[in-house]
Coordinates of all heavy atoms in Angstrom, one line a residue:
S3 N -9.0 -10.6 15.8 CA -8.3 -11.9 16.0 C -6.9 -11.7 16.3 O -6.3 -10.6 16.2 CB -8.6 -12.8 14.9 OG -7.7 -12.5 13.8
D4 N -6.1 -12.7 16.5 CA -4.8 -12.6 17.0 C -3.7 -12.1 16.0 O -2.8 -11.5 16.4 CB -4.3 -14.0 17.6 CG -5.0 -15.1 17.0 OD1 -5.5 -15.0 15.9 OD2 -5.2 -16.1 17.7
N5 N -4.0 -12.3 14.7 CA -2.9 -11.9 13.8 C -3.0 -10.5 13.2 O -2.2 -10.1 12.4 CB -2.9 -12.9 12.6 CG -2.5 -14.3 13.0 OD1 -1.7 -14.5 14.0 ND2 -3.0 -15.3 12.4
W6 N -4.0 -9.8 13.7 CA -4.1 -8.4 13.2 C -3.1 -7.5 14.0 O -3.1 -7.6 15.2 CB -5.5 -7.9 13.4 CG -6.5 -8.6 12.4 CD1 -7.3 -9.6 12.8 CD2 -6.7 -8.3 11.1 NE1 -8.0 -10.0 11.6 CE2 -7.7 -9.2 10.6 CE3 -6.2 -7.4 10.2 CZ2 -8.1 -9.2 9.3 CZ3 -6.6 -7.4 8.9 CH2 -7.6 -8.3 8.4
I7 N -2.4 -6.7 13.2 CA -1.4 -5.9 13.8 C -1.7 -4.4 13.6 O -2.0 -4.0 12.5 CB 0.0 -6.1 13.2 CG1 0.4 -7.6 13.5 CG2 1.1 -5.2 13.7 CD1 1.6 -8.1 12.7
L8 N -1.7 -3.6 14.7 CA -2.0 -2.2 14.6 C -1.0 -1.5 13.7 O 0.2 -1.6 14.0 CB -2.1 -1.6 16.0 CG -2.4 -0.1 16.0 CD1 -3.7 0.3 15.4 CD2 -2.3 0.5 17.4
A9 N -1.4 -0.9 12.6 CA -0.4 -0.2 11.7 C -0.4 1.3 11.8 O 0.6 1.9 11.6 CB -0.8 -0.7 10.3
A10 N -1.6 1.9 12.0 CA -1.7 3.3 11.9 C -3.0 3.8 12.5 O -3.9 2.9 12.7 CB -1.6 3.8 10.5
E11 N -3.1 5.0 12.8 CA -4.4 5.7 13.1 C -5.0 6.2 11.8 O -4.2 6.8 10.9 CB -4.2 6.8 14.1 CG -3.6 6.4 15.4 CD -4.6 5.7 16.3 OE1 -5.8 6.0 16.2 OE2 -4.1 4.8 17.0
L12 N -6.3 6.1 11.6 CA -6.9 6.6 10.4 C -6.6 8.0 10.2 O -6.4 8.5 9.0 CB -8.4 6.4 10.6 CG -9.3 6.2 9.3 CD1 -8.7 5.2 8.3 CD2 -10.7 5.7 9.7
A13 N -6.5 8.8 11.2 CA -6.2 10.2 11.1 C -4.9 10.5 10.5 O -4.6 11.6 10.1 CB -6.4 10.9 12.5
D14 N -4.0 9.5 10.6 CA -2.6 9.7 10.1 C -2.5 9.5 8.6 O -1.5 9.7 8.0 CB -1.6 8.8 10.7 CG -1.5 9.1 12.2 OD1 -1.7 10.2 12.6 OD2 -1.1 8.1 13.0
L15 N -3.6 9.0 8.0 CA -3.6 8.7 6.5 C -4.3 9.8 5.7 O -5.5 10.0 5.8 CB -4.4 7.4 6.3 CG -3.9 6.2 7.1 CD1 -4.7 4.9 6.6 CD2 -2.4 6.0 6.9
P16 N -3.5 10.5 5.0 CA -4.1 11.6 4.1 C -5.0 11.0 3.1 O -4.7 9.9 2.6 CB -2.9 12.3 3.5 CG -1.7 11.3 3.7 CD -2.0 10.4 4.8
E17 N -6.1 11.7 2.8 CA -7.0 11.2 1.8 C -6.4 11.2 0.4 O -5.7 12.1 0.0 CB -8.3 12.0 1.8 CG -8.9 12.1 3.2 CD -10.4 11.9 3.2 OE1 -10.9 11.5 2.2 OE2 -10.9 12.1 4.3
D18 N -6.8 10.2 -0.4 CA -6.3 10.1 -1.8 C -4.7 10.2 -1.9 O -4.2 10.8 -2.7 CB -6.9 11.1 -2.7 CG -8.4 11.0 -2.8 OD1 -8.8 9.8 -3.0 OD2 -9.1 12.0 -2.6
D19 N -4.1 9.5 -0.9 CA -2.6 9.5 -0.9 C -2.1 8.2 -0.3 O -2.8 7.4 0.1 CB -2.2 10.8 -0.1 CG -0.8 11.3 -0.6 OD1 -0.2 10.6 -1.4 OD2 -0.5 12.4 -0.1
V20 N -0.8 8.2 -0.3 CA -0.1 7.0 0.2 C 1.0 7.4 1.2 O 1.6 8.5 1.0 CB 0.6 6.2 -1.0 CG1 1.4 7.1 -1.8 CG2 1.3 5.0 -0.5
I21 N 1.2 6.6 2.2 CA 2.3 6.8 3.1 C 3.1 5.5 3.2 O 2.6 4.4 3.0 CB 1.9 7.3 4.5 CG1 1.1 6.2 5.2 CG2 1.2 8.6 4.5 CD1 0.8 6.5 6.7
G22 N 4.4 5.6 3.5 CA 5.2 4.5 3.8 C 5.5 4.3 5.3 O 5.8 5.3 5.9
I23 N 5.2 3.1 5.8 CA 5.4 2.9 7.2 C 6.0 1.5 7.5 O 5.9 0.6 6.7 CB 4.1 3.0 8.0 CG1 3.0 2.0 7.4 CG2 3.6 4.4 8.1 CD1 1.9 1.8 8.3
D24 N 6.7 1.4 8.6 CA 7.2 0.2 9.0 C 6.2 -0.5 9.9 O 5.8 0.1 10.9 CB 8.6 0.4 9.8 CG 9.1 -1.0 10.3 OD1 8.6 -1.5 11.3 OD2 10.1 -1.4 9.7
V25 N 5.8 -1.7 9.6 CA 4.9 -2.4 10.5 C 5.6 -3.8 10.8 O 5.7 -4.6 9.9 CB 3.5 -2.7 9.8 CG1 2.6 -3.4 10.8 CG2 2.9 -1.4 9.3
N26 N 6.0 -3.9 12.0 CA 6.7 -5.1 12.5 C 7.8 -5.5 11.5 O 7.9 -6.7 11.2 CB 5.7 -6.3 12.6 CG 5.0 -6.3 14.0 OD1 4.9 -5.2 14.6 ND2 4.5 -7.4 14.4
G27 N 8.6 -4.6 11.1 CA 9.7 -4.9 10.2 C 9.4 -5.0 8.7 O 10.3 -5.2 7.9
H28 N 8.1 -4.9 8.4 CA 7.7 -4.9 7.0 C 7.6 -3.4 6.5 O 7.0 -2.6 7.2 CB 6.3 -5.5 6.8 CG 6.2 -6.9 7.3 ND1 6.2 -8.0 6.4 CD2 6.0 -7.4 8.5 CE1 6.1 -9.1 7.1 NE2 5.9 -8.8 8.3
D29 N 8.2 -3.2 5.3 CA 8.1 -1.8 4.7 C 6.8 -1.8 3.9 O 6.7 -2.5 2.9 CB 9.3 -1.6 3.8 CG 9.4 -0.2 3.3 OD1 8.6 0.7 3.8 OD2 10.2 0.1 2.5
I30 N 5.8 -1.1 4.4 CA 4.5 -1.1 3.9 C 4.1 0.2 3.2 O 4.4 1.3 3.8 CB 3.5 -1.5 5.0 CG1 3.8 -2.8 5.6 CG2 2.0 -1.4 4.5 CD1 3.6 -4.0 4.6
A31 N 3.4 0.1 2.1 CA 2.7 1.3 1.5 C 1.3 1.2 1.9 O 0.6 0.2 1.7 CB 2.9 1.3 0.0
L32 N 0.8 2.3 2.6 CA -0.6 2.3 3.0 C -1.3 3.4 2.3 O -0.9 4.5 2.3 CB -0.6 2.6 4.5 CG -1.8 2.1 5.4 CD1 -2.1 0.7 5.2 CD2 -1.5 2.4 6.8
Y33 N -2.4 3.0 1.6 CA -3.1 3.9 0.7 C -4.5 4.2 1.2 O -5.2 3.3 1.8 CB -3.4 3.2 -0.7 CG -2.1 2.5 -1.3 CD1 -1.8 1.2 -1.0 CD2 -1.3 3.2 -2.1 CE1 -0.7 0.6 -1.5 CE2 -0.2 2.6 -2.7 CZ 0.1 1.3 -2.3 OH 1.2 0.7 -2.9
R34 N -4.9 5.4 1.1 CA -6.3 5.8 1.5 C -7.0 6.4 0.3 O -6.5 7.4 -0.3 CB -6.3 6.7 2.6 CG -7.7 7.0 3.1 CD -7.7 8.0 4.3 NE -9.0 8.1 5.0 CZ -9.2 8.7 6.1 NH1 -8.2 9.3 6.7 NH2 -10.4 8.8 6.6
T35 N -8.1 5.7 -0.2 CA -8.8 6.2 -1.3 C -10.3 6.3 -1.0 O -10.7 5.8 0.1 CB -8.6 5.4 -2.6 OG1 -9.4 4.2 -2.4 CG2 -7.2 5.0 -2.8
E36 N -11.1 6.8 -1.9 CA -12.5 6.8 -1.6 C -13.1 5.4 -1.5 O -14.2 5.2 -1.0 CB -13.3 7.6 -2.6 CG -13.1 7.2 -4.0 CD -13.8 8.2 -5.0 OE1 -14.1 9.3 -4.6 OE2 -13.9 7.8 -6.2
D37 N -12.4 4.4 -2.1 CA -12.8 3.0 -2.0 C -12.3 2.3 -0.7 O -12.7 1.1 -0.5 CB -12.2 2.2 -3.2 CG -12.9 2.6 -4.5 OD1 -14.0 3.1 -4.4 OD2 -12.3 2.4 -5.5
G38 N -11.5 3.0 0.1 CA -11.1 2.4 1.4 C -9.6 2.5 1.5 O -8.9 3.2 0.8
V39 N -9.1 1.7 2.5 CA -7.7 1.7 2.8 C -7.1 0.4 2.4 O -7.7 -0.7 2.6 CB -7.5 1.9 4.4 CG1 -6.0 1.7 4.7 CG2 -8.1 3.2 4.9
F40 N -6.0 0.5 1.7 CA -5.3 -0.7 1.2 C -3.9 -0.7 1.6 O -3.3 0.4 1.8 CB -5.5 -0.8 -0.4 CG -6.9 -0.7 -0.8 CD1 -7.5 0.5 -1.1 CD2 -7.6 -1.9 -0.9 CE1 -8.8 0.5 -1.5 CE2 -8.9 -1.9 -1.3 CZ -9.6 -0.6 -1.6
A41 N -3.3 -1.9 1.6 CA -1.9 -2.0 2.0 C -1.1 -2.9 1.0 O -1.7 -4.0 0.6 CB -1.8 -2.6 3.4
S42 N 0.1 -2.5 0.7 CA 1.0 -3.4 -0.1 C 2.4 -3.3 0.3 O 2.7 -2.4 1.1 CB 0.9 -3.0 -1.6 OG 1.7 -1.8 -1.9
A43 N 3.2 -4.2 -0.2 CA 4.7 -4.0 0.0 C 5.0 -2.7 -0.6 O 4.4 -2.2 -1.6 CB 5.4 -5.1 -0.8
N44 N 6.0 -2.1 0.0 CA 6.4 -0.7 -0.4 C 7.5 -0.7 -1.5 O 7.7 0.2 -2.2 CB 6.8 0.1 0.8 CG 6.8 1.6 0.5 OD1 6.3 2.1 -0.5 ND2 7.3 2.4 1.5
L45 N 8.3 -1.8 -1.5 CA 9.4 -1.9 -2.5 C 8.9 -2.3 -3.8 O 8.1 -3.3 -3.9 CB 10.4 -2.9 -2.0 CG 11.7 -3.1 -2.8 CD1 12.5 -1.8 -2.8 CD2 12.5 -4.2 -2.3
C46 N 9.2 -1.6 -4.9 CA 8.8 -1.9 -6.2 C 9.4 -3.3 -6.6 O 10.5 -3.6 -6.2 CB 9.3 -0.9 -7.2 SG 8.8 -1.2 -8.9
S47 N 8.7 -4.1 -7.4 CA 9.2 -5.4 -7.8 C 10.2 -5.3 -8.9 O 10.9 -6.3 -9.3 CB 8.0 -6.3 -8.3 OG 7.4 -5.7 -9.4
H48 N 10.4 -4.1 -9.4 CA 11.3 -3.9 -10.6 C 12.7 -3.3 -10.2 O 13.7 -3.5 -10.9 CB 10.6 -3.0 -11.6 CG 11.4 -2.7 -12.8 ND1 12.0 -1.5 -13.0 CD2 11.7 -3.5 -13.9 CE1 12.7 -1.5 -14.2 NE2 12.5 -2.7 -14.7
G49 N 12.8 -2.7 -9.0 CA 14.0 -2.1 -8.6 C 13.9 -1.5 -7.2 O 13.0 -1.7 -6.5
N50 N 15.0 -0.7 -6.9 CA 15.1 -0.2 -5.6 C 14.4 1.2 -5.4 O 15.0 2.2 -5.4 CB 16.6 -0.1 -5.2 CG 16.7 0.2 -3.7 OD1 15.8 0.0 -2.9 ND2 17.9 0.8 -3.3
A51 N 13.1 1.1 -5.4 CA 12.3 2.3 -5.3 C 11.1 2.1 -4.3 O 10.6 0.9 -4.3 CB 11.7 2.8 -6.6
R52 N 10.8 3.1 -3.6 CA 9.6 2.9 -2.6 C 8.4 3.5 -3.3 O 8.4 4.7 -3.7 CB 9.9 3.6 -1.3 CG 11.1 3.0 -0.6 CD 11.3 3.7 0.8 NE 10.5 3.2 1.9 CZ 10.0 3.9 2.8 NH1 10.1 5.2 2.8 NH2 9.3 3.3 3.8
L53 N 7.4 2.7 -3.3 CA 6.1 3.1 -4.0 C 5.4 4.3 -3.2 O 4.7 5.1 -3.8 CB 5.2 1.9 -4.1 CG 5.7 0.8 -4.9 CD1 4.8 -0.4 -4.8 CD2 6.0 1.2 -6.3
S54 N 5.7 4.4 -1.9 CA 5.2 5.5 -1.2 C 5.7 6.9 -1.6 O 5.2 7.9 -1.3 CB 5.4 5.4 0.3 OG 6.7 5.2 0.6
D55 N 6.8 6.8 -2.4 CA 7.4 8.0 -3.0 C 6.7 8.3 -4.4 O 7.1 9.2 -5.1 CB 8.9 8.0 -3.2 CG 9.6 7.9 -1.9 OD1 9.1 8.5 -0.9 OD2 10.6 7.2 -1.8
G56 N 5.8 7.4 -4.8 CA 5.2 7.5 -6.1 C 3.9 8.3 -6.1 O 3.6 9.0 -5.2
F57 N 3.2 8.0 -7.2 CA 2.0 8.8 -7.5 C 0.7 7.9 -7.5 O 0.7 6.9 -8.3 CB 2.2 9.5 -8.8 CG 1.1 10.4 -9.2 CD1 0.7 11.5 -8.5 CD2 0.4 10.2 -10.4 CE1 -0.3 12.3 -8.9 CE2 -0.6 11.0 -10.8 CZ -0.9 12.1 -10.1
L58 N -0.2 8.2 -6.6 CA -1.4 7.4 -6.5 C -2.6 8.0 -7.4 O -2.9 9.2 -7.2 CB -1.9 7.3 -5.1 CG -3.2 6.6 -4.8 CD1 -3.1 5.1 -5.1 CD2 -3.5 6.8 -3.3
E59 N -3.1 7.2 -8.3 CA -4.2 7.7 -9.1 C -5.1 6.6 -9.6 O -4.6 5.6 -10.1 CB -3.7 8.5 -10.3 CG -4.8 9.2 -11.1 CD -4.3 10.1 -12.2 OE1 -3.5 9.5 -13.1 OE2 -4.6 11.2 -12.3
D60 N -6.4 6.7 -9.5 CA -7.3 5.8 -10.0 C -7.0 4.3 -9.5 O -7.1 3.4 -10.3 CB -7.4 5.8 -11.5 CG -7.9 7.1 -12.1 OD1 -8.7 7.8 -11.3 OD2 -7.5 7.5 -13.2
G61 N -6.7 4.2 -8.3 CA -6.5 2.9 -7.7 C -5.2 2.2 -8.1 O -5.0 1.0 -7.9
E62 N -4.3 3.0 -8.7 CA -3.0 2.5 -9.1 C -1.9 3.3 -8.5 O -2.1 4.6 -8.4 CB -2.9 2.4 -10.6 CG -3.8 1.4 -11.2 CD -3.7 1.3 -12.7 OE1 -2.9 2.1 -13.3 OE2 -4.5 0.6 -13.3
I63 N -0.8 2.7 -8.1 CA 0.4 3.4 -7.6 C 1.4 3.4 -8.7 O 1.7 2.3 -9.2 CB 0.9 2.9 -6.3 CG1 2.0 3.7 -5.7 CG2 1.3 1.4 -6.4 CD1 1.6 5.1 -5.2
E64 N 1.9 4.5 -9.0 CA 3.0 4.6 -10.1 C 4.3 4.8 -9.4 O 4.6 5.7 -8.6 CB 2.7 5.9 -10.9 CG 3.7 6.0 -12.1 CD 3.5 7.2 -12.9 OE1 3.9 8.3 -12.5 OE2 2.8 7.1 -13.9
C65 N 5.2 3.8 -9.7 CA 6.6 3.8 -9.2 C 7.3 5.1 -9.6 O 7.3 5.5 -10.8 CB 7.3 2.6 -9.7 SG 9.0 2.6 -9.1
P66 N 8.0 5.7 -8.7 CA 8.7 7.0 -9.0 C 9.9 6.8 -9.9 O 10.4 7.7 -10.5 CB 9.2 7.5 -7.6 CG 9.3 6.3 -6.8 CD 8.2 5.4 -7.2
L67 N 10.4 5.5 -10.0 CA 11.7 5.4 -10.8 C 11.5 5.2 -12.3 O 12.1 5.9 -13.1 CB 12.4 4.2 -10.2 CG 13.9 4.1 -10.4 CD1 14.6 5.4 -10.2 CD2 14.6 3.0 -9.6
H68 N 10.6 4.2 -12.7 CA 10.4 4.0 -14.1 C 8.9 4.0 -14.5 O 8.5 3.6 -15.5 CB 11.0 2.7 -14.6 CG 12.4 2.4 -14.1 ND1 12.8 1.5 -13.2 CD2 13.6 3.1 -14.5 CE1 14.1 1.5 -13.0 NE2 14.6 2.5 -13.8
Q69 N 8.1 4.5 -13.6 CA 6.7 4.8 -13.8 C 5.9 3.5 -14.1 O 4.8 3.5 -14.7 CB 6.5 5.8 -15.0 CG 6.8 7.2 -14.6 CD 8.3 7.4 -14.4 OE1 9.1 7.1 -15.3 NE2 8.7 8.0 -13.3
G70 N 6.4 2.4 -13.6 CA 5.5 1.2 -13.6 C 4.4 1.4 -12.7 O 4.5 2.1 -11.7
R71 N 3.2 0.8 -13.0 CA 2.0 1.0 -12.2 C 1.5 -0.4 -11.6 O 1.4 -1.4 -12.4 CB 0.9 1.7 -12.9 CG 1.2 3.1 -13.3 CD 0.0 3.9 -13.8 NE -0.7 3.1 -14.8 CZ -0.5 3.1 -16.1 NH1 0.5 3.8 -16.6 NH2 -1.2 2.4 -16.9
F72 N 1.1 -0.4 -10.4 CA 0.5 -1.5 -9.7 C -0.9 -1.2 -9.3 O -1.2 -0.1 -8.8 CB 1.3 -1.9 -8.5 CG 2.7 -2.3 -8.7 CD1 3.7 -1.4 -8.6 CD2 3.0 -3.6 -9.0 CE1 5.0 -1.7 -8.7 CE2 4.4 -4.0 -9.2 CZ 5.4 -3.0 -9.0
C73 N -1.8 -2.2 -9.4 CA -3.1 -2.1 -8.8 C -3.0 -2.2 -7.3 O -2.4 -3.1 -6.8 CB -4.0 -3.2 -9.3 SG -5.6 -3.3 -8.4
I74 N -3.5 -1.2 -6.5 CA -3.3 -1.2 -5.1 C -4.1 -2.2 -4.4 O -3.9 -2.6 -3.2 CB -3.5 0.2 -4.4 CG1 -4.9 0.7 -4.6 CG2 -2.5 1.2 -5.1 CD1 -5.3 1.9 -3.7
K75 N -5.2 -2.7 -5.0 CA -6.1 -3.7 -4.4 C -5.5 -5.1 -4.5 O -5.6 -6.0 -3.6 CB -7.5 -3.7 -5.0 CG -8.2 -2.4 -4.7 CD -9.6 -2.4 -5.3 CE -10.2 -1.0 -5.0 NZ -11.6 -0.9 -5.6
T76 N -4.9 -5.4 -5.7 CA -4.5 -6.8 -6.0 C -2.9 -6.9 -6.0 O -2.4 -8.1 -6.0 CB -5.0 -7.3 -7.4 OG1 -4.4 -6.4 -8.4 CG2 -6.5 -7.1 -7.4
G77 N -2.2 -5.8 -6.2 CA -0.8 -5.9 -6.4 C -0.3 -6.2 -7.8 O 0.9 -6.3 -8.0
K78 N -1.3 -6.4 -8.7 CA -1.0 -6.8 -10.0 C -0.2 -5.7 -10.7 O -0.5 -4.5 -10.6 CB -2.3 -7.0 -10.8 CG -2.1 -7.6 -12.1 CD -3.5 -7.9 -12.8 CE -3.2 -8.3 -14.2 NZ -4.3 -8.0 -15.1
A79 N 0.8 -6.1 -11.5 CA 1.6 -5.2 -12.4 C 0.7 -4.8 -13.6 O 0.1 -5.7 -14.3 CB 2.8 -5.9 -12.9
M80 N 0.5 -3.6 -13.8 CA -0.4 -3.1 -14.8 C 0.2 -2.7 -16.1 O -0.5 -2.4 -17.1 CB -1.2 -1.9 -14.3 CG -2.0 -2.2 -13.0 SD -3.1 -3.6 -13.1 CE -4.4 -2.8 -14.1
C81 N 1.6 -2.5 -16.2 CA 2.2 -2.0 -17.4 C 3.7 -2.3 -17.3 O 4.2 -2.6 -16.3 CB 1.9 -0.5 -17.6 SG 2.7 0.5 -16.4
S82 N 4.4 -2.2 -18.5 CA 5.8 -2.3 -18.5 C 6.4 -1.1 -17.8 O 5.8 0.0 -17.7 CB 6.3 -2.4 -19.9 OG 6.1 -1.1 -20.6
P83 N 7.6 -1.2 -17.2 CA 8.5 -2.3 -17.4 C 8.3 -3.4 -16.3 O 9.2 -4.3 -16.2 CB 9.9 -1.6 -17.1 CG 9.6 -0.6 -16.1 CD 8.2 -0.1 -16.5
L84 N 7.2 -3.4 -15.6 CA 7.0 -4.4 -14.6 C 6.7 -5.7 -15.2 O 5.9 -5.8 -16.1 CB 5.8 -4.0 -13.7 CG 5.9 -2.6 -13.1 CD1 4.6 -2.2 -12.3 CD2 7.1 -2.5 -12.2
T85 N 7.2 -6.8 -14.5 CA 6.9 -8.1 -14.9 C 6.3 -8.9 -13.8 O 5.8 -10.0 -14.0 CB 8.2 -8.9 -15.4 OG1 9.2 -8.8 -14.4 CG2 8.7 -8.2 -16.7
E86 N 6.5 -8.4 -12.6 CA 6.0 -9.1 -11.4 C 5.1 -8.1 -10.5 O 5.4 -7.0 -10.4 CB 7.1 -9.5 -10.5 CG 7.9 -10.7 -10.9 CD 9.0 -11.0 -9.9 OE1 8.8 -11.0 -8.7 OE2 10.2 -11.0 -10.4
G87 N 4.1 -8.7 -9.9 CA 3.3 -7.9 -9.0 C 4.0 -7.7 -7.6 O 5.2 -8.1 -7.5
I88 N 3.3 -7.2 -6.7 CA 3.8 -7.0 -5.3 C 2.7 -7.6 -4.4 O 1.5 -7.8 -4.7 CB 4.0 -5.5 -5.0 CG1 2.7 -4.7 -5.4 CG2 5.2 -5.0 -5.6 CD1 2.8 -3.3 -4.9
A89 N 3.2 -7.9 -3.2 CA 2.3 -8.5 -2.2 C 1.3 -7.4 -1.7 O 1.6 -6.2 -1.6 CB 3.1 -9.0 -1.0
T90 N 0.1 -7.8 -1.4 CA -0.9 -6.9 -0.8 C -1.3 -7.6 0.5 O -1.2 -8.8 0.7 CB -2.1 -6.7 -1.7 OG1 -2.7 -7.9 -2.0 CG2 -1.7 -5.9 -2.9
Y91 N -1.9 -6.8 1.4 CA -2.2 -7.4 2.8 C -3.6 -6.9 3.1 O -4.0 -5.8 2.8 CB -1.2 -6.8 3.8 CG 0.2 -7.2 3.4 CD1 1.0 -6.2 2.8 CD2 0.7 -8.4 3.7 CE1 2.3 -6.5 2.4 CE2 2.0 -8.7 3.3 CZ 2.8 -7.8 2.7 OH 4.1 -8.1 2.3
P92 N -4.3 -7.8 3.8 CA -5.7 -7.5 4.3 C -5.7 -6.3 5.3 O -4.8 -6.3 6.1 CB -6.2 -8.7 4.9 CG -5.3 -9.8 4.5 CD -4.0 -9.2 4.2
V93 N -6.6 -5.4 5.2 CA -6.8 -4.3 6.1 C -8.1 -4.4 6.8 O -9.1 -4.7 6.2 CB -6.7 -3.0 5.2 CG1 -7.0 -1.8 6.1 CG2 -5.4 -2.8 4.5
Q94 N -8.0 -4.1 8.1 CA -9.3 -4.0 8.9 C -9.3 -2.7 9.6 O -8.3 -2.3 10.3 CB -9.3 -5.2 9.8 CG -10.6 -5.3 10.6 CD -10.7 -6.6 11.3 OE1 -10.9 -7.6 10.7 NE2 -10.6 -6.6 12.6
I95 N -10.4 -2.0 9.6 CA -10.5 -0.7 10.3 C -11.4 -1.0 11.5 O -12.5 -1.5 11.4 CB -11.2 0.4 9.5 CG1 -10.6 0.5 8.1 CG2 -11.2 1.7 10.2 CD1 -9.3 1.2 8.0
E96 N -10.9 -0.6 12.7 CA -11.7 -0.8 13.9 C -11.7 0.6 14.6 O -10.7 1.0 15.1 CB -11.1 -1.8 14.9 CG -11.5 -3.2 14.5 CD -11.0 -4.3 15.5 OE1 -10.7 -3.9 16.6 OE2 -10.8 -5.4 15.0
G97 N -12.9 1.3 14.5 CA -12.9 2.6 15.1 C -12.0 3.5 14.3 O -12.1 3.6 13.1
E98 N -11.0 4.0 14.9 CA -10.0 4.9 14.3 C -8.7 4.2 14.0 O -7.7 4.9 13.6 CB -9.8 6.2 15.2 CG -11.0 7.1 15.3 CD -11.4 7.7 13.9 OE1 -10.5 8.2 13.2 OE2 -12.6 7.5 13.5
Q99 N -8.7 2.9 14.2 CA -7.4 2.2 14.1 C -7.4 1.3 12.9 O -8.4 0.7 12.5 CB -7.1 1.5 15.4 CG -7.1 2.4 16.6 CD -6.6 1.7 17.8 OE1 -7.2 0.7 18.2 NE2 -5.7 2.3 18.5
V100 N -6.2 1.3 12.2 CA -6.0 0.5 11.0 C -5.1 -0.7 11.3 O -4.0 -0.5 11.8 CB -5.4 1.4 9.9 CG1 -5.2 0.5 8.6 CG2 -6.2 2.6 9.6
Y101 N -5.7 -1.9 11.1 CA -4.9 -3.1 11.3 C -4.6 -3.8 10.0 O -5.3 -3.8 9.1 CB -5.8 -4.1 12.2 CG -6.0 -3.6 13.6 CD1 -7.0 -2.7 13.9 CD2 -5.2 -4.0 14.6 CE1 -7.2 -2.2 15.2 CE2 -5.4 -3.6 15.9 CZ -6.4 -2.7 16.2 OH -6.6 -2.2 17.5
L102 N -3.4 -4.5 10.0 CA -3.0 -5.3 8.9 C -2.8 -6.7 9.3 O -2.5 -7.0 10.5 CB -1.7 -4.8 8.3 CG -1.6 -3.3 7.8 CD1 -0.3 -3.1 7.1 CD2 -2.7 -3.1 6.8
K103 N -2.9 -7.6 8.4 CA -2.6 -9.0 8.6 C -1.5 -9.5 7.7 O -1.6 -9.3 6.5 CB -3.9 -9.8 8.5 CG -3.9 -11.2 9.1 CD -5.2 -11.8 8.9 CE -5.6 -12.6 10.1 NZ -6.9 -13.1 10.0
F104 N -0.5 -10.2 8.2 CA 0.5 -10.8 7.4 C 0.3 -12.3 7.4 O 0.0 -12.9 8.5 CB 1.9 -10.4 8.0 CG 2.1 -8.9 7.9 CD1 1.9 -8.2 9.1 CD2 2.5 -8.3 6.7 CE1 2.1 -6.8 9.0 CE2 2.7 -6.9 6.7 CZ 2.5 -6.2 7.9
A105 N 0.5 -12.9 6.3 CA 0.3 -14.4 6.2 C 1.1 -15.1 7.1 O 2.2 -14.7 7.5 CB 0.5 -14.8 4.8
Ligands
LIG225 FE1 9.8 0.6 -10.1 FE2 11.5 0.4 -12.1 S1 11.9 0.4 -10.0 S2 9.3 0.6 -12.2

């Protein structure tokens, strides 16, 4: 449909890892896990850190600055010092291409 934006090629996404990419001016963290591909805002809700520089494990991304963790599917803050979640975005895979949708 019209609002889906091409973000990446599937081949560019390392397995069980996260990359940071610019998609139409949005700083996005793009995650690839055995459960699929997920996208969130890349800026931590707690400070000036990029989640794509963090550590992905068990469906959560750990911020590199103070080790706050977010659920990559929902954006929910999972532990202190986080008090706010982050935005997540719908992902659609078509063939080898990864599309995102922004509200
Ligand atoms: Fe991310 Fe503090 S900046 S946990």
